[in-house]
Amino acid sequence: MPLLKATRQAQYPLMAEFTFNFDDTMVDINGVTKNFKTFGGNPVVDAINLPANANVIGGEVAVETAYAGTTVATVSVGDSGSATRYGSAINLMSAARTALTLTGYRGAGENLRLTFNLTVADATAGKVTIRVLYTIQGRGNEVQPI
């Protein structure tokens, strides 16, 4: 059994963000081009590529322009293993920031996935930014002196 020693290695958190407008289009996880406004379209997209051994340590869903025109507009934030790992049914109908739920999960390379729910009518406005802060196990930017 190896003798462990205190670590001297440190890393900077990495930050990635993904911004979308209600009328933007993107290829969903099934290879179909969808937009973020159509009632019943409800895209599921991989929005941020995360590397293997990534551990989400912070982040938010920031609604910059509230969704309008639809009765309900929500997004869940997760990955291929759990659609709601970092946030469930976050409201896009009011300009606000919602912190991601931190689970301590260390990924195997799953991308950050967004699952949308729009009801009754198409959206006529909306702009949202998803930000995620993460570290990668075994990565180091600096070595602290003894």
Side-chain angles (χ1 to χ4, degrees):
M1 182 176 331
L3 175 65
L4 297 178
K5 297 181 181 180
T7 187
R8 295 177 43 216
Q9 178 176 300
Q11 71 173 284
Y12 309 120
L14 299 168
M15 194 274 294
E17 68 179 25
F18 177 78
T19 300
F20 61 90
N21 289 298
F22 76 103
D23 57 354
D24 287 338
T25 60
M26 187 171 182
V27 176
D28 72 5
I29 62 170
N30 297 312
V32 178
T33 300
K34 292 195 175 182
N35 61 49
F36 300 109
K37 71 176 180 179
T38 303
F39 156 65
N42 298 337
V44 178
V45 299
D46 286 340
I48 297 175
N49 297 325
L50 293 175
N53 295 314
N55 187 1
V56 174
I57 60 170
E60 66 183 1
V61 175
V63 179
E64 298 173 34
T65 303
Y67 262 63
T70 183
T71 304
V72 172
T74 65
V75 66
S76 293
V77 183
D79 55 38
S80 60
S82 171
T84 59
R85 189 180 309 277
Y86 304 110
S88 178
I90 297 167
N91 183 18
L92 304 178
M93 300 289 290
S94 61
R97 293 172 51 204
T98 302
L100 296 181
T101 302
L102 304 180
T103 64
Y105 175 73
R106 181 170 290 126
E110 304 93 338
N111 297 322
L112 199 73
R113 181 169 285 179
L114 306 178
T115 303
F116 291 83
N117 181 32
L118 300 164
T119 62
V120 179
D122 290 356
T124 58
K127 181 179 181 181
V128 179
T129 297
I130 313 292
R131 289 183 187 88
V132 62
L133 275 90
Y134 62 96
T135 58
I136 303 169
Q137 181 184 28
R139 178 177 182 261
N141 298 101
E142 307 239 353
V143 176
Q144 304 297 326
I146 296 178

